[in-house]
Amino acid sequence: MSKQAFSLNEINNENNNYEQEQQLAFKQVDSQKDGNIATATTQNNNNINNNNKIENTNVTNNKTNANEEEEEENEEENLINNNFPVLSKNQVEQLNNLQKQLLFENCIKNMLTLIGEDINREGLLQTPTRVFKSYNKLCAGMKVNDPKEVLNEALFSSDNSQMVVVRDIEIYSLCEHHLLPVIGRAHVAYIPNGKVVGLSKIPRMVEMYARRLQIQERLTEQIAQAIIDTIQPEGVGVVIEARHMCMEMRGVEKSSPTTITSSLKGQFLKKETRKEFFDIINRTPNRL
């Protein structure tokens, strides 16, 4: 029995030793794992820091490049502005007619050269002069800014209180955004209040506001307001139908779209008067 007990004790001791060895081995493995994790974490942190440094360096370089490009553009712009200064309105007003013409023609020559043309070829020799003369006509309305200069000289007393309509007045203007033609018709009506205006003066006033750089909305309102201020009628109605070459020749390039604008004041805000006006201007014209 004692021998058997001794053997069992040896077995138990061996088991205990084995368990202790296993626990020690496990601790060593865990310690190694922790070390590997710590090492990996440190490496990841180092990689992140390095990446952040690279990104910051790239951002700094991009900003530096952008600033350098902006400085170069500003230098080029200043160089052009110094060599080709833009005149103010006051400076232009101090020039005589010949100086204005020469300056205008030189601008046209520069424009033709910039788009790749040869200003010395036969077909373009007189183009700057022709353009100068055509713009004098196209923008002639800018020389008269007071509608009273057009309308006051032809005001007459009258007891007529019925609507007066002048329709289908041809309009030729220039879009102020692209300097391209605006072509259309204006219909103008008013209800007299003791005064009537010579019929030819209404188309003249329409032309005064059309022959300049314009937008159709403003043109419509200017015509209506000029009649209100000058003739002081019971009411005014103005409708403009126009085609804009800035939509047809460029941009959306749609064929023949028509823009319609209207300005109604006084009695023309009433439904019956408005209907009468629109019925008249939409009626098929009789041949005279």
Side-chain angles (χ1 to χ4, degrees), residues 137-149:
K137 176 63 176 177
L138 294 172
C139 298
M142 297 185 66
K143 298 175 182 178
V144 183
N145 289 311
D146 188 355
K148 294 179 180 179
E149 294 182 26

Side-chain angles (χ1 to χ4, degrees), residues 155-174:
L155 282 177
F156 308 101
S157 299
S158 173
D159 56 3
N160 177 41
S161 60
Q162 300 301 309
M163 187 182 302
V164 178
V165 182
V166 181
R167 54 174 279 181
D168 295 324
I169 304 169
E170 292 180 347
I171 284 180
Y172 299 98
S173 189
L174 288 176

Side-chain angles (χ1 to χ4, degrees), residues 137 141 169 202-212:
K137 176 63 176 177
I169 304 169
I202 292 179
R204 286 181 184 272
M205 187 193 58
V206 170
E207 186 170 80
M208 181 190 81
Y209 285 113
R211 295 282 184 172
R212 61 182 69 197

Side-chain angles (χ1 to χ4, degrees), residues 92-106:
V92 171
E93 289 175 350
Q94 294 174 7
L95 301 175
N96 60 42
N97 290 334
L98 179 59
Q99 290 172 327
K100 291 178 182 178
Q101 180 174 347
L102 292 175
L103 183 60
F104 188 98
E105 292 181 7
N106 284 337

